[in-house]
Amino acid sequence: MEKIKVLIIDDSAVMRKFLTDTLSRSPRIEVVGTAIDPFIAVNKIKALKPDVLTLDVEMPRMDGLTFLSKLMIASPMPVIMVSTLTVQGADVTLKALHLGAVDFMLKPAIDNEKEVQDFSRLIMEKVFMASQVKMSGRLAAPMLEVEEKFSADVILAKRDPLKTKVRSEQIVAIGASTGGTEVIDEILVSLPDSVPGIVITQHMPEKFTEAFANRVNTKTKILVREGKHGDRLYRGMALIAPGGRHMLLRADSNGYYIEVNDGPPVNRHKPSVDVLFRSVSQAAGRAATGILCTGMGNDGAAGLLEMKDAGAYTVGQNEASCIVYGMPREAMKLGATCEERNIGGIIDFIKNIK
């Protein structure tokens, strides 16, 4: 089996060495080179023909976003962004995913042994995954200023579900991981403000989920926000599980609301899709629809089966439209999905839920 060739682009000598040493421990990965900025990287990409790039978000001379947008037009290839756990880092990383990056990693604290171990394991998995992604059809998105000009009109026209408080008898639960931010964005932007309440778990760290919710909310007819403990769920709104916390659906005589807790990771994730789906099966039963989208691993498969067993209709994203057909595949193996659909089919299905 040929090794996966990786080029590391980072202006920090410490991070370049750390990434090189980490990835080189895998017998399936070869770090073919490093670059301190995009200008040097361009020549190395031509000479070394890497399979996967790791790209720092913040660099001198040319930032990671500008380089990524040019790369995806000139020579599309799988890119894993390496980011920091800051509000600015979250916003830039989300823009990078929009421009075509397949995934991202948070830089660990080098002196924190657990962070280093978790990072080392996960980045190897993500490099393997990225090397399998077919870049054909994944062209760079338009630069984001156009999107922001469009959003103002949408915000003015948006109905506020918290004022109208139309009780949602039906619930839509969505789970996703790698590649999921763009899928969820596409789904939510396409929905009318009359849709049932939506609960979402997308594997992301803290700060990132709030930035993601706020970003999507500028473009949708429905209200989209990061879920807070005790939030009520009404028609025309979507709540996204906060990074670093589990989100669960609960019900009482007044309808549905969410619980946010600090339990241990499930399937190595917090928030976990399984945790959300399991709670939906218990709180909503046959009044729910479960949708499991693109992602690496098996989180959500067992929970989707519980939803199906409780009478919910369950949908998996089909392989052709997934960045990573991992989580939906595991659900299909378990018999947890009633059917599979592409993104357009998922949107049409949600629109028809009354």
Side-chain angles (χ1 to χ4, degrees):
M1 183 179 295
E2 288 188 11
K3 289 188 176 184
I4 301 165
K5 297 186 291 184
V6 179
L7 178 67
I8 296 165
I9 309 171
D10 199 300
D11 67 317
S12 164
V14 171
M15 187 54 62
R16 290 197 304 275
K17 184 177 188 310
F18 170 70
L19 287 170
T20 299
D21 292 345
T22 298
L23 292 173
S24 296
R25 286 201 290 270
S26 169
R28 293 180 56 191
I29 297 174
E30 178 186 5
V31 177
V32 293
T34 64
I36 64 172
D37 64 35
F39 293 95
I40 295 173
V42 168
N43 293 326
K44 293 201 173 185
I45 289 170
K46 292 176 182 176
L48 302 171
K49 296 181 172 52
D51 301 305
V52 177
L53 301 184
T54 70
L55 178 61
D56 188 13
V57 168
E58 298 173 0
M59 291 178 292
R61 296 218 291 168
M62 182 186 291
D63 64 88
L65 269 188
T66 302
F67 174 67
L68 181 67
S69 64
K70 295 176 182 294
L71 177 73
M72 288 300 163
I73 294 170
S75 181
M77 63 181 60
V79 176
I80 299 173
M81 304 301 294
V82 182
S83 178
T84 54
L85 186 57
T86 63
V87 173
Q88 181 182 0
D91 186 58
V92 173
T93 302
L94 290 170
K95 290 178 181 177
L97 295 173
H98 184 71
L99 288 170
V102 298
D103 210 341
F104 70 95
M105 288 288 299
L106 292 179
K107 291 183 177 181
I110 302 298
D111 57 352
N112 185 315
E113 185 176 349
K114 184 179 185 308
E115 280 193 28
V116 168
Q117 289 178 349
D118 290 345
F119 179 92
S120 299
R121 170 187 53 78
L122 192 55
I123 195 167
M124 289 182 191
E125 292 179 5
K126 293 196 175 191
V127 166
F128 299 149
M129 174 277 299
S131 70
Q132 304 300 312
V133 172
K134 294 179 176 62
M135 297 303 293
S136 58
R138 285 179 55 78
L139 298 177
M143 290 308 288
L144 301 156
E145 288 77 11
V146 175
E147 170 188 309
E148 299 303 328
K149 289 177 183 176
F150 161 76
S151 67
D153 293 335
V154 175
I155 293 171
L156 290 173
K158 185 178 296 190
R159 177 175 63 82
D160 186 353
L162 299 178
K163 289 182 179 178
T164 55
K165 294 184 178 179
V166 178
R167 182 164 168 166
S168 185
E169 302 295 339
Q170 297 288 321
I171 292 294
V172 178
I174 302 175
S177 187
T178 310
T181 56
E182 291 309 295
V183 171
I184 290 170
D185 184 304
E186 186 173 348
I187 291 171
L188 297 184
V189 165
S190 303
L191 298 178
D193 61 11
S194 58
V195 293
I198 301 171
V199 285
I200 300 168
T201 290
Q202 161 72 45
H203 293 158
M204 297 181 87
E206 58 177 319
K207 294 187 176 70
F208 281 63
T209 45
E210 183 177 14
F212 175 55
N214 292 343
R215 184 177 182 76
V216 175
N217 187 57
T218 65
K219 300 181 287 180
T220 56
K221 294 183 177 69
I222 66 173
L223 174 67
V224 181
R225 70 182 198 184
E226 183 184 66
K228 302 290 188 294
H229 184 74
D231 277 351
R232 289 279 167 183
L233 191 64
Y234 302 106
R235 293 188 75 92
M237 67 183 295
L239 297 176
I240 297 175
R245 298 288 188 274
H246 292 303
M247 188 172 80
L248 299 85
L249 184 72
R250 301 300 190 198
D252 60 18
S253 59
N254 294 317
Y256 296 109
Y257 65 97
I258 63 164
E259 172 189 324
V260 174
N261 69 40
D262 196 21
V266 174
N267 297 324
R268 302 187 308 194
H269 293 287
K270 192 166 77 170
S272 163
V273 181
D274 268 336
V275 169
L276 175 64
F277 282 0
R278 185 170 296 118
S279 72
V280 173
S281 73
Q282 296 165 357
R286 64 178 61 252
T289 297
I291 300 171
L292 191 57
C293 297
T294 177
M296 183 170 61
N298 65 355
D299 189 31
L304 196 68
L305 180 60
E306 290 188 33
M307 287 185 65
K308 184 181 179 185
D309 289 343
Y313 197 83
T314 57
V315 180
Q317 186 179 346
N318 70 354
E319 183 172 6
S321 64
C322 282
I323 295 297
V324 183
Y325 184 61
M327 287 158 44
R329 176 190 283 121
E330 294 304 313
M332 180 64 78
K333 285 181 182 177
L334 283 180
T337 49
C338 298
E339 64 169 308
E340 288 191 325
R341 292 183 172 224
N342 62 18
I343 300 169
I346 291 171
I347 292 167
D348 289 341
F349 189 89
I350 297 173
K351 284 181 176 179
N352 288 320
I353 300 173
K354 304 303 181 185

